[in-house]
Amino acid sequence: MGKHAVQFSKKKRTKYRFQKLKMCKKCNRYSILKDENCPTCGAAFVGIESLVKSIFKNRLFTEAIWILIIVSIGIVFAPTVNTLYYSLIAGVIFCISYVILTFIFMKSEYFNQLKKMLRVDLKKISAGLQFDSELANEDVREGRLGQAYEKLREIGDLISKDKMKLRQVKVLNDIMLRSDMELELEQLIPTVYDKDFVKYALEVLKINRSMITKKCLAYFIQNRESIVMDFGLDSLISVAGTALRMKLYIQEFHEFIEEFLDYFPKERVLRLCSILQSNPEVDWGSLGEKTKHLVAMKYHYDPDFKQFVS
Ligand SMILES: [Zn+2]
């Protein structure tokens, strides 16, 4: 089966992951997907922040009513005109201080309310995400891979289990990846070796080497034996080649780079030489010596290496 050509929409970013949660008040169901309306009943979703704000407002309103009732009781039952004034003044002072204090602690109160809501509704939220996840499955079955991935990507923001990551990876492996796509890699690294993930990572490497981060490199090194078995030594060589992008990576992974030094294409070796030469104060371990040796043996007469041959 050929790969699907799809277009991804831009991912909406929020400061906190839970901020994307929303609820259909009619179905009483949470969702993390980007739809504005509930796919079941068509009602507009209400964002979790507006939900919390309305609960918070209701609480303030109820408390204000109680204060008013207490003040009114004081006024009604005041035996003398003086006591009536006293209770009125006390009531006004109390109201003002209540409003001021509420404003001061509004933000923390709001977050408390939010935390409480997330805790109380945890089961409901996970049921909602399960429903979202079934919608994604349906997309996969119907061949709408772009939409399926977008759904899984949103759900994956809240559920970071391996199973969720690998569902995304499997869909991505059936899609034709392009460098203009907003792809994720580090977020999808599973806790154990997974062939599908490595297959995806190697595809990503082909279109955008800069996505191979420190965490990815560590994953490849950790699972190197299985990777060589499944994908051959060449895959590991190209991964090691990406570590030559940055001085920091070379420092951190110098042993790994050293192992594949003889296999790197010329431009990678040139890059390595120039980084090593411009940072003579850094301790490169035996990588420095080995690189010098390689240049002396293999590139001695190459004019491009003239500046590195002593
Ligand atoms: Zn609904």
Side-chain angles (χ1 to χ4, degrees):
M1 195 182 77
K3 292 199 174 196
H4 292 232
V6 299
Q7 202 84 40
F8 297 150
S9 58
K10 231 178 151 39
K11 190 175 174 183
K12 198 177 137 198
R13 313 228 170 239
T14 49
K15 194 171 173 198
Y16 302 104
R17 295 179 195 194
F18 64 79
Q19 280 173 313
K20 276 197 255 180
L21 268 176
K22 46 193 153 188
M23 190 195 211
C24 170
K25 280 187 160 174
K26 241 175 164 178
C27 308
N28 203 14
R29 183 170 54 77
Y30 280 95
S31 172
I32 186 91
L33 305 182
K34 56 180 181 162
D35 311 73
E36 311 251 312
N37 295 77
C38 170
T40 317
C41 70
F45 277 123
V46 185
I48 188 150
E49 287 179 290
S50 340
L51 276 175
V52 174
K53 271 179 198 152
S54 73
I55 293 177
F56 190 51
K57 262 188 219 154
N58 282 345
R59 211 191 78 195
L60 277 188
F61 184 70
T62 325
E63 280 164 353
I65 294 278
W66 271 110
I67 294 171
L68 263 177
I69 291 173
I70 292 166
V71 171
S72 314
I73 291 173
I75 292 169
V76 170
F77 290 101
T80 61
V81 179
N82 270 354
T83 17
L84 189 147
Y85 281 137
Y86 290 148
S87 38
L88 201 62
I89 291 166
V92 168
I93 292 174
F94 192 73
C95 265
I96 292 173
S97 13
Y98 180 74
V99 169
I100 293 173
L101 283 176
T102 310
F103 268 102
I104 293 175
F105 294 110
M106 185 126 95
K107 214 168 173 186
S108 65
E109 258 308 292
Y110 164 73
F111 273 104
N112 281 341
Q113 188 74 48
L114 183 69
K115 265 194 261 172
K116 201 171 133 195
M117 187 165 155
L118 290 174
R119 207 169 41 232
V120 171
D121 278 2
L122 199 64
K123 265 197 179 147
K124 240 199 242 167
I125 294 172
S126 85
L129 293 179
Q130 184 59 39
F131 185 86
D132 288 346
S133 155
E134 272 150 32
L135 291 179
N137 274 346
E138 212 176 293
D139 281 341
V140 174
R141 277 197 299 273
E142 311 270 323
R144 297 184 295 261
L145 295 189
Q147 289 171 39
Y149 169 65
E150 280 176 18
K151 288 191 175 78
L152 293 171
R153 182 173 71 177
E154 299 293 351
I155 305 167
D157 263 0
L158 280 190
I159 301 177
S160 54
K161 289 187 186 144
D162 277 1
K163 204 177 141 202
M164 196 63 225
K165 292 176 184 171
L166 298 175
R167 279 179 69 193
Q168 294 181 64
V169 164
K170 278 197 174 129
V171 173
L172 286 163
N173 277 340
D174 285 332
I175 288 174
M176 214 155 27
L177 304 180
R178 295 187 316 269
S179 55
D180 63 316
M181 278 174 168
E182 191 189 359
L183 293 170
E184 289 180 343
L185 184 64
E186 199 176 293
Q187 294 91 323
L188 297 176
I189 300 176
T191 51
V192 292
Y193 175 68
D194 183 85
K195 200 175 164 180
D196 287 317
F197 171 74
V198 176
K199 187 179 167 198
Y200 169 65
L202 291 172
E203 279 302 309
V204 172
L205 188 155
K206 278 186 215 156
I207 57 170
N208 187 358
R209 311 167 76 87
S210 67
M211 282 182 73
I212 308 292
T213 54
K214 197 170 147 177
K215 242 176 121 182
C216 295
L217 283 164
Y219 181 84
F220 271 87
I221 295 171
Q222 197 188 343
N223 299 290
R224 48 184 302 165
E225 279 155 32
S226 317
I227 293 170
V228 171
M229 247 177 355
D230 286 336
F231 298 92
L233 192 66
D234 282 351
S235 59
L236 223 50
I237 296 171
S238 39
V239 171
T242 64
L244 300 177
R245 269 180 12 251
M246 276 191 253
K247 182 184 146 192
L248 272 177
Y249 285 3
I250 300 178
Q251 238 176 315
E252 174 124 13
F253 301 106
H254 63 89
E255 285 172 19
F256 183 53
I257 294 171
E258 208 178 306
E259 267 180 71
F260 301 102
L261 202 56
D262 295 330
Y263 302 101
F264 287 144
K266 183 181 147 186
E267 42 91 26
R268 300 269 92 195
V269 181
L270 263 175
R271 164 136 190 91
L272 178 63
C273 286
S274 76
I275 292 182
L276 296 187
Q277 197 176 55
S278 46
N279 297 281
E281 74 291 350
V282 177
D283 176 21
W284 301 107
S286 48
L287 180 65
E289 278 311 309
K290 231 185 148 187
T291 312
K292 261 187 204 157
H293 182 72
L294 173 78
V295 172
M297 299 297 289
K298 204 169 165 186
Y299 299 105
H300 193 70
Y301 298 107
D302 192 322
D304 291 337
F305 284 87
K306 209 173 148 196
Q307 50 171 323
F308 306 120
V309 179
S310 46

